[in-house]
Amino acid sequence: MKKLSDQPCLIARSLALVGDAWSMLIMRDAHAGLTRFDDFRKSLGIAPTMLTARLSSLTEYGLLEKRRYSDRPPRDEYVLTEAGRDFLPVLFAIGAWGRKHRGGGEVTRFFDAETGTEVDPVTIDRATGAPVGTRPIRIAAPE
């Protein structure tokens, strides 16, 4: 994945940081308000060594910030940074794709905490106003 971070493609660079499932799910849980190691571990059922590695990477890459909440015993929490908060639309875009192509049966739903309405994300191209995925794209290499 480190080689991807040097690519000119911003999708590749981003996947180098958060391209594995555990990192995505940690980010989902952080957006749901989880901040502590044990809470992430219980929610995800992830091995402690794997969780430690993923939290370290997400902190190193600036999506989470590690803050000490107890000195005795030493305990840290992980809070979203601006970059981490900006990642929520990415998670919802993946969820919308999953609803369309991997749905069926019992599924988790996401609601706006203020309005109580279910979140139904749409990704729109700012220049054309068209939903992303409805028009052909062209990839241009850097000049």
Side-chain angles (χ1 to χ4, degrees):
M1 291 305 256
K2 292 286 185 190
K3 290 182 181 181
L4 290 178
S5 63
D6 295 331
Q7 295 288 319
C9 175
L10 294 175
I11 294 171
R13 287 185 193 179
S14 301
L15 286 172
L17 306 182
V18 292
D20 67 280
W22 288 124
S23 294
M24 296 268 195
L25 293 172
I26 290 167
M27 293 302 295
R28 177 203 63 191
D29 283 359
H31 277 280
L34 274 61
T35 61
R36 297 188 177 175
F37 186 93
D38 285 339
D39 294 334
F40 286 116
R41 192 174 55 75
K42 288 175 190 169
S43 173
L44 299 171
I46 184 175
T49 53
M50 180 70 72
L51 179 56
T52 298
R54 294 302 183 267
L55 288 170
S56 293
S57 292
L58 291 168
T59 301
E60 177 185 345
Y61 296 136
L63 281 88
L64 296 174
E65 179 183 337
K66 187 174 173 179
R67 291 187 189 159
R68 179 71 36 113
Y69 71 86
S70 173
D71 288 324
R72 293 184 186 210
R75 298 276 188 258
D76 298 311
E77 64 181 352
Y78 298 86
V79 296
L80 292 164
T81 62
E82 180 181 359
R85 289 186 298 275
D86 287 346
F87 195 71
L88 184 60
V90 175
L91 292 173
F92 277 130
I94 292 168
W97 179 88
R99 175 181 291 152
K100 182 174 180 180
H101 298 287
R102 305 299 298 170
E106 300 282 327
V107 296
T108 303
R109 296 165 52 200
F110 298 91
F111 293 87
D112 183 294
E114 292 179 16
T115 66
T117 58
E118 189 167 359
V119 175
D120 184 16
V122 178
T123 307
I124 302 293
D125 176 56
R126 187 182 317 264
T128 65
V132 173
T134 61
R135 299 165 60 96
I137 66 163
R138 178 176 55 86
I139 299 174
E143 296 177 13

